[in-house]
Amino acid sequence: MTRESESGRPIHPVYGPGALDGWDPREKLGEPGAYPFTRGVYPSMYTGRPWTVRQYAGFGTAAESNARYRRLIASGSTGLSVAFDLPTQMGHDSDAPIAHGEVGKVGVAIDSIDDMRVLFDGIPLDRVSTSMTINAPAAPLLLLYQLVAEERGIAPGKLTGTIQNDVLKEYIARGTYIFPPEPSLRLVADIFRYCAAEIPQWNTISISGYHMAEAGATPAQEIAFTLADAIAYVRTAVAAGMAVDDFAPRLSFFLVARTTLLEEVAKFRAARRVWARVMREEFGARDPKSLMLRFHTQTAGVQLTAQQPEVNLVRVAVQALGAVLGGTQSLHTNAYDEAIALPTDRSARLALRTQQVLAHETDVTATVDPFAGSYVVESMTDDLEAAVLDLMRQVEDRGGAVAAIEQGFQKAEIERSAYRVTRETEAGERVVVGVNRFRLDEEEPYEPLRVDPAIEERQAARLARLRAERDGGAVAAALAALGAAARSGTGQGHGTDNVLYPMRDALRARATVGEVCATLRDVWGAYEPAESF
């Protein structure tokens, strides 16, 4: 449908081909929704419907997070994105000694099926798409979600959402790993197989460059190292006997949007182009959906400042605009106060409203790929593509993503970039408003959201009740079966037994996330990074 501008002139859904110094963009770029997908993965993009508004939230107890989710949905959010606390991300229960002081602090504490029931109480799981930012323990958290839906009579085929499940980037940039790389990749392949058979609409992995960017990666490094990880996952699944077109359509990606709007738009366009070619030329994918780089975007938390936090509203709006102009499939906008503490209800609502203004008050949804044919964006897209391919070649020269991780290549490259930015900021060569220029003599007072430290005691009490009420013998037997499945094929890259089936039985018997992860840790060991490279 053709929309009109404020001046009453038509805005066409798609522009092109048009001549640009004798260059036909249609030959170079293709059409929207067609290989190599430079112009977007769908022909109509936002002219058909806007991106998914997927606000990331989670803190304290499951009940507190559930209340925040209900408010977000009532305010217009179209998808949920769950933040888990650090003990959950590391596979520890809330009453484990190592969890002390961290329960509920940066996300919600989920120890068992009891917590998962509370977290999604009253939320229609067959009508809401849910993303879970969980990696090493992705399998048990996904299974808990499936079990809660099962209790409500919701068929697994109706569940839609994403688990991040990208453990390789944890070794590079984030650190919430549990197991060594080889069994971690085996677990990823088991999840691929399980979801293909049991939860077919679920996106089995969200291969993430976001955390690399937060650690200091440049746009070229973000894309190159993310796609290198993706290649490792695809190779693992193929080696495990899966046909590429059986699982590749459910792959998705998670990228950042910085304030450097033009380069970010070019980055997203280059990433789609590179991935489409990799999937077609290296892996022989034939299903067009296997060639599509579909991605979620989050605005750049690392660029938010604790000084003059209201200025972050401007930063987030610019970052979100870059993500939309770059063709994201879903978007989270950070709250302006996240550099200080967890978002308040008010700041979370303002972040949501930022997306709604872009979707409903601007004309960016009126046409597909507004920057197509732009001299600067097309040139930057080509330059980024070349830089990405060069970095990917360097990863391959070191034996692929896992070998390069073990050699410390990606981590060292990112650290060099982060150091350069820090030096430029400290020298005043890189302006950060409110930090090294345009400062206030005295910051205005701000009252942050604080998590009640008593949450840890309450979670421990819930766990004590769970262990007293459940059938301990059934739990022990189920965990033993999980351990046996984990031992099958150990050292061969993948096992003959898919660990998700006995894991599901254990969780149904009310085993905890920590107990499941401990069982696997006993078989596979725990990853210990090298002191230095």
Side-chain angles (χ1 to χ4, degrees), residues 80-137:
L80 297 176
S81 185
V82 183
F84 297 96
D85 70 357
L86 280 176
T88 304
Q89 292 180 47
M90 300 291 287
H92 298 293
D93 289 332
S94 296
D95 59 355
I98 197 172
H100 179 62
E102 295 293 341
V103 177
K105 290 292 181 66
V106 298
V108 61
I110 299 295
D111 294 317
S112 70
I113 193 169
D114 294 6
D115 292 326
M116 191 65 84
R117 290 185 188 115
V118 175
L119 183 64
F120 289 102
D121 181 48
I123 294 174
L125 301 185
D126 53 345
R127 299 200 301 274
V128 171
S129 173
T130 301
S131 173
M132 292 187 277
T133 304
I134 195 71
N135 293 284

Side-chain angles (χ1 to χ4, degrees), residues 79 98 380 445 448 457 489 506:
I98 197 172
M380 292 175 79
E457 295 177 12

Side-chain angles (χ1 to χ4, degrees), residues 49 126-127 143 161 216 245 281 305 362 410 419 438 468 483 505 509 518 522:
R49 67 178 180 86
D126 53 345
R127 299 200 301 274
L143 292 171
D245 285 325
E281 294 171 11
T305 65
T362 76
Q410 299 98 317
Y419 179 68
F438 314 114
D505 292 339
D522 288 344

Side-chain angles (χ1 to χ4, degrees), residues 470-491:
R470 71 190 184 182
D471 184 338
V475 172
L479 290 173
L482 172 62
R487 276 186 287 274
S488 72
T490 298

